[in-house]
Amino acid sequence: MRIGLLTGGGDCPGLNAAIRAVVKQGLGEYGHSIIGFRNGWKGVVDGDVMPLERQHIRNVLPVGGTLLGTARFHPREEDGSMEAVLATLEAERIEALICIGGDGTLHAASRVADAGVKIVAIPKTIDNDVAGTDLSIGYHTAVNIAAEAIDRIHTTAESHNRVMVIEVMGRHAGWIAVNAGIAGGAEIVLAPEEPFDMDKIIKFLKHRHKAHANFSIVVVAEGAHAVPGSSMEYEVQLGKYGEIVAGAIGERVATEIQTRTGFDTRLTVLGHVQRGGSPTTTDRILGSRFGVAAVDAITRGESNVMTALRGEEVVLVPLPEVAGKVKAVPADLLRTARALA
Ligand code: F6P
């Protein structure tokens, strides 16, 4: 079989493990050909192919990013790019496509599947917000990086008697903020799932600093926002493509705390540090398992499905049921973060 492979959307650690697994299982177990497309859906539109052989995947397991490249580009019917996708797949005689991506890439994959292409998707995003799977590739590494950063910030916070605000990634869900916050011992965690009340935060900080502490750690997800109508009016800041502007909410929260408490306050925006570097063993193993499962599924003739981790098992879930849906942090996890303030 000729199987196409692409990585789309933001990169993350663990993508190369998945690519490697697809190539090894495809070539070794079944004798398929694996045709990589450079830069996600953009490469499919442009016919930018990279046939993958064993030499391409040598030593890539511990390397972050994606050897295929990626882009924030999704094919659409309106501008002819969907038609171009179908034309390239036909020209390259691609019989099935493996798409590794987050919400945008998977949504596009589902539409390409509707057009008759055999598709198996693999979920990746450091935000961990793809529905239907316990874990997505990249999240475990990112949450470790964020927790380690909080640990480091702790010591300087304490030395200088400061409030430290740390903004982490997470546009639509607060998985990194909540779990890195718990693991790093943050006093306050702000996530998109639970709009915050700045009055309560100020009261809490004043009480804590008067009663028993001289520093505090506040972790903010980039998609966090205030309760509408509360004392801190804040609407999520959007850039020209409708994306959430990194650093905006962190800046606003830090300024508000500094002004209303008088405590010396500093902001750290972790940004793309969370997306770079070598994957953890969990992400290497998850990427490898998803890669093998995707090739097995395609070979069995499955289509319009996504590999997913459910407990200890890798299973397949229908792509239309999960594409474009956000997996929010559950209430009990949010409560745990609050309880540990
Ligand atoms: O989609 C994952 C993500 O890491 C988000 O958390 C973040 O908002 C976004 O990517 C940043 O994207 P870009 O690299 O395009 O600025």
Side-chain angles (χ1 to χ4, degrees):
M1 259 177 116
R2 281 174 70 80
I3 299 174
L5 175 64
L6 65 87
T7 51
D11 75 335
C12 66
L15 289 173
N16 286 328
I19 294 169
R20 172 178 175 270
V22 167
V23 173
K24 282 202 164 202
Q25 182 75 343
L27 265 53
E29 179 71 18
Y30 301 111
H32 296 321
S33 298
I34 307 296
I35 314 299
F37 288 98
R38 289 197 184 83
N39 305 323
W41 290 110
K42 181 94 181 59
V44 189
V45 169
D46 297 343
D48 191 356
V49 296
M50 177 181 177
L52 291 168
E53 302 293 343
R54 282 185 183 275
Q55 75 260 22
H56 296 114
I57 54 158
R58 208 156 285 144
N59 301 329
V60 300
L61 195 53
V63 181
T66 161
L67 67 90
L68 280 174
T70 186
R72 289 209 183 274
F73 170 89
H74 308 303
R76 299 177 326 142
E77 279 82 9
E78 306 84 65
D79 60 8
S81 51
M82 180 61 88
E83 208 178 308
V85 162
L86 300 178
T88 300
L89 295 179
E90 195 178 338
E92 292 293 333
R93 294 174 287 110
I94 301 295
E95 294 160 84
L97 191 57
I98 296 177
C99 304
I100 311 177
D103 51 354
T105 307
L106 301 185
H107 192 58
S110 173
R111 283 187 291 113
V112 173
D114 289 343
V117 178
K118 284 201 160 88
I119 300 252
V120 173
I122 295 179
K124 69 86 219 171
T125 165
I126 66 158
D127 295 350
N128 200 34
D129 58 359
V130 173
T133 180
D134 294 353
L135 270 185
S136 291
I137 298 171
Y139 166 68
H140 190 261
T141 308
V143 77
N144 272 309
I145 293 169
E148 195 204 318
I150 297 171
D151 283 348
R152 288 174 185 276
I153 285 170
H154 242 118
T155 56
T156 172
E158 210 163 346
S159 304
H160 283 268
N161 305 332
R162 283 174 172 159
V163 176
M164 301 298 258
V165 176
I166 302 150
E167 187 187 293
V168 298
M169 282 186 170
R171 287 174 172 169
H172 309 295
W175 289 95
I176 296 180
V178 172
N179 281 335
I182 292 171
E187 276 65 50
I188 295 172
V189 175
L190 307 181
E193 288 84 349
E194 209 169 44
F196 61 86
D197 182 339
M198 190 45 86
D199 284 346
K200 286 191 184 152
I201 294 172
I202 299 297
K203 205 168 148 200
F204 169 85
L205 289 174
K206 281 185 175 167
H207 173 75
R208 172 179 151 86
H209 285 229
K210 195 170 168 206
H212 60 90
N214 61 359
F215 75 96
S216 292
I217 303 285
V218 180
V219 178
V220 189
E222 61 189 350
H225 47 95
V227 179
S230 65
S231 68
M232 183 186 126
E233 288 294 340
Y234 180 82
E235 278 181 25
V236 173
Q237 303 292 302
L238 298 180
K240 67 175 177 186
Y241 302 111
E243 80 287 5
I244 288 174
V245 175
I249 182 66
E251 178 69 46
R252 190 63 210 281
V253 166
T255 304
E256 198 86 5
I257 291 173
Q258 169 82 54
T259 317
R260 290 175 62 181
T261 64
F263 300 148
D264 203 13
T265 304
R266 293 288 188 276
L267 168 67
T268 302
V269 179
L270 281 191
H272 291 80
V273 167
Q274 296 158 95
R275 283 222 320 244
S278 186
T280 58
T281 51
T282 298
D283 275 326
R284 295 181 200 192
I285 295 165
L286 188 68
S288 302
R289 292 181 76 186
F290 280 170
V292 169
V295 174
D296 288 347
I298 274 187
T299 311
R300 285 198 307 272
E302 304 263 9
S303 182
N304 216 357
V305 290
M306 181 185 83
T307 62
L309 187 72
R310 296 273 175 87
E312 295 299 320
E313 302 278 312
V314 171
V315 299
L316 297 175
V317 296
L319 189 53
E321 277 180 22
V322 294
K325 291 192 185 139
V326 172
K327 181 183 71 174
V329 176
D332 75 295
L333 200 47
L334 292 166
R335 200 157 38 87
T336 303
R338 258 200 323 273
L340 298 172

